[in-house]
Amino acid sequence: MESKKALIISFSGIGDAVLTEVLCENLKQMFPGIIVDMAVKSNSFPLFLNNPGIDNVIPYYNDERKNFWKYIKKTWDVMKKKYDIILDVESTPRSELFSLFGKKAAYRAGWYKVSKHKILWIKVKRGFFYNNKIVRDNAESVTKNLTKFLDPLIKSSSLENYEKTFDFKICITDEEKQEMRKNMENAGMDFSKPVVMCAVNAVSDGKRWRRDYMMEVLQYILDNYDYQLLLFYTPNEKEYTVNMAEELQNNRVFYSIETKDVRDLAKLMVNSDYYFGNEGGARHIAQAVELPGFAVFSPDASKKDWLVNNGNTDYDGIESSDILGDSVYSMAEKERYNVITPEEVIKRLEPKLLKLKKN
């Protein structure tokens, strides 16, 4: 009997794409022998290599996504594989083309959405080529909502007793780990001391904790623990991050280890002992390689949605409501962010740092 073939489409940011891997994990467990492919942005592509849950990763480069005719041609070519299952996590008019070109697939799922456009003052419901429309549950985390894509499939396949996993992973080989470890040693890092990876920057101002607050916590770690801080950055974040590193003026602060892509970032993480900093895609990568960490959540990124820990407190964080409860929701976003002071972070981070010291 020919194996089932599944395609997952996730053109979102790196962090969201990492979480989508949870679908691969479940499909492989649900249907032994299934072939699972992922279509992702080219910048996310390296993260999914060498993953036993994914058989083929299909990168879409910027020119292919932005040029409509190139996009149509590539998508048409991809769908020649004749998939049985299409999970369109992106669920946009463009990504729905996968379901149009693969309309013979028995199972085609996308998010239930109402279009912004109207015909005769009536809002148009989207998703004409899905035969299953998935409704989000705002009370659930991102990964639990993602696994809702599997619910109709579980029911139709008589797998009602199946227990979902909510784990997601990035697989780094031992050879890759050792290669990056040598780079870190060449930069002067001492693996007899714990390495704390620090995400001091973010993709936008609204997701970046106050600079002076972040500096105060980093200085506290340096003053009270014989740990090494590894500050990382994207090319757009370099100046901001380097300035902070130089201001700390400590030979246990490292920032010059270059990474060519997000896979190199994951290689740094598997050679580190802890993650601290802003919530975002980098923290999702850290959790996917099982690096414990503590993140500061911005007002528009709640722990309920994004902190997928399944009861494992190795992955932890702080948001303003942890301090003032629901009263923070009547405050402006900037005021809510300022509620998270260095003292509040250190109070919660200290037990994690002490545990790291014992290890």
Side-chain angles (χ1 to χ4, degrees):
M1 181 178 175
E2 188 178 354
S3 298
K4 287 182 180 291
K5 295 189 288 289
L7 176 68
I8 301 168
I9 303 105
S10 181
F11 292 143
S12 298
I14 288 170
D16 290 27
V18 169
L19 297 180
T20 304
E21 199 272 344
V22 70
L23 293 173
C24 307
E25 298 295 311
N26 279 282
L27 286 170
K28 286 289 186 178
Q29 292 184 33
M30 290 166 59
F31 304 108
I34 191 173
I35 295 170
V36 178
D37 296 353
M38 282 190 75
V40 298
K41 285 182 178 179
S42 57
N43 64 337
S44 301
F45 168 75
L47 290 174
F48 303 106
L49 301 175
N50 298 318
N51 188 323
I54 306 169
D55 294 279
N56 299 289
V57 191
I58 306 163
Y60 270 70
Y61 296 90
N62 285 340
D63 65 320
E64 293 171 327
R65 289 186 301 104
K66 294 180 179 179
N67 183 304
F68 188 60
W69 299 113
K70 286 185 178 180
Y71 179 85
I72 287 179
K73 182 182 184 306
K74 179 155 185 172
T75 302
W76 176 263
D77 289 341
V78 168
M79 297 313 295
K80 287 178 182 177
K81 193 165 182 178
K82 297 181 180 179
Y83 293 96
D84 305 291
I85 300 167
I86 301 172
L87 306 182
D88 183 5
V89 175
E90 197 64 22
S91 300
T92 63
R94 279 198 171 194
S95 66
E96 196 176 339
L97 285 175
F98 287 91
S99 290
L100 168 61
F101 296 156
K103 58 182 180 293
K104 290 185 179 180
Y107 186 83
R108 306 181 304 278
W111 292 115
Y112 172 83
K113 289 184 177 181
V114 177
S115 174
K116 296 178 182 178
H117 304 291
K118 297 180 181 180
I119 298 177
L120 297 177
W121 302 283
I122 299 174
K123 286 187 176 181
V124 179
K125 293 180 181 179
R126 279 203 46 255
F128 299 107
F129 301 103
Y130 307 138
N131 55 17
N132 288 273
K133 296 182 183 180
I134 311 303
V135 179
R136 296 178 194 268
D137 183 347
N138 292 330
E140 295 288 4
S141 68
V142 173
T143 49
K144 287 192 175 179
N145 268 303
L146 282 170
T147 59
K148 286 169 67 68
F149 269 78
L150 304 170
D151 289 346
L153 194 56
I154 289 171
K155 186 175 181 180
S156 64
S157 303
S158 300
L159 293 169
E160 284 87 351
N161 295 325
Y162 173 73
E163 292 187 15
K164 297 176 186 174
T165 178
F166 300 105
D167 292 332
F168 51 95
K169 64 186 179 187
I170 295 166
C171 301
I172 302 298
T173 66
D174 288 340
E175 184 179 355
E176 288 176 311
K177 179 179 179 179
Q178 293 306 318
E179 180 184 13
M180 182 57 75
R181 190 180 184 91
K182 287 180 181 178
N183 292 343
M184 296 167 76
E185 287 174 333
N186 291 338
M189 301 199 76
D190 178 1
F191 284 100
S192 68
K193 299 176 181 179
V195 176
V196 180
M197 284 201 71
C198 302
V200 300
N201 212 329
V203 294
S204 65
D205 292 345
K207 293 182 178 294
R208 185 191 303 120
W209 194 37
R210 276 178 49 169
R211 185 183 189 279
D212 57 331
Y213 282 4
M214 181 67 76
M215 287 289 290
E216 188 171 333
V217 175
L218 297 182
Q219 190 63 60
Y220 179 88
I221 296 172
L222 291 170
D223 290 345
N224 292 274
Y225 297 90
D226 191 21
Y227 296 171
Q228 300 165 104
L229 304 185
L230 176 55
L231 278 58
F232 61 94
Y233 50 82
T234 65
N236 294 334
E237 300 169 352
K238 181 175 182 178
E239 183 178 359
Y240 182 93
T241 306
V242 169
N243 286 343
M244 286 186 69
E246 291 178 344
E247 190 174 325
L248 288 167
Q249 294 184 332
N250 193 298
N251 61 9
R252 286 183 285 119
V253 177
F254 297 85
Y255 59 91
S256 60
I257 302 173
E258 294 189 5
T259 54
K260 66 178 184 296
D261 56 31
V262 287
R263 191 168 185 83
D264 274 356
L265 178 59
K267 294 174 194 177
L268 282 175
M269 289 180 173
V270 296
N271 280 290
S272 300
D273 299 285
Y274 204 73
Y275 173 98
F276 170 71
N278 293 300
E279 159 67 9
R283 192 199 64 79
H284 298 160
I285 294 173
Q287 186 168 345
V289 298
E290 299 184 328
L291 176 66
F294 186 95
V296 180
F297 284 71
S298 63
D300 64 348
S302 74
K303 286 164 59 176
K304 171 184 69 65
D305 290 335
W306 297 105
L307 184 58
V308 187
N309 59 20
N310 299 330
N312 185 348
T313 57
D314 283 345
Y315 313 112
D316 206 349
I318 185 172
E319 61 186 352
S320 53
S321 61
D322 290 334
I323 302 164
L324 294 182
D326 290 344
S327 64
V328 297
Y329 298 116
S330 63
M331 302 166 61
E333 281 200 356
K334 187 173 182 180
E335 292 176 326
R336 285 166 58 189
Y337 220 166
N338 289 341
V339 164
I340 306 174
T341 62
E343 292 76 20
E344 293 289 349
V345 169
I346 290 168
K347 180 169 65 176
R348 292 164 175 80
L349 182 61
E350 190 89 69
K352 316 289 185 181
L353 295 173
L354 287 169
K355 182 179 177 182
L356 186 63
K357 188 174 184 179
K358 291 177 183 178
N359 291 340

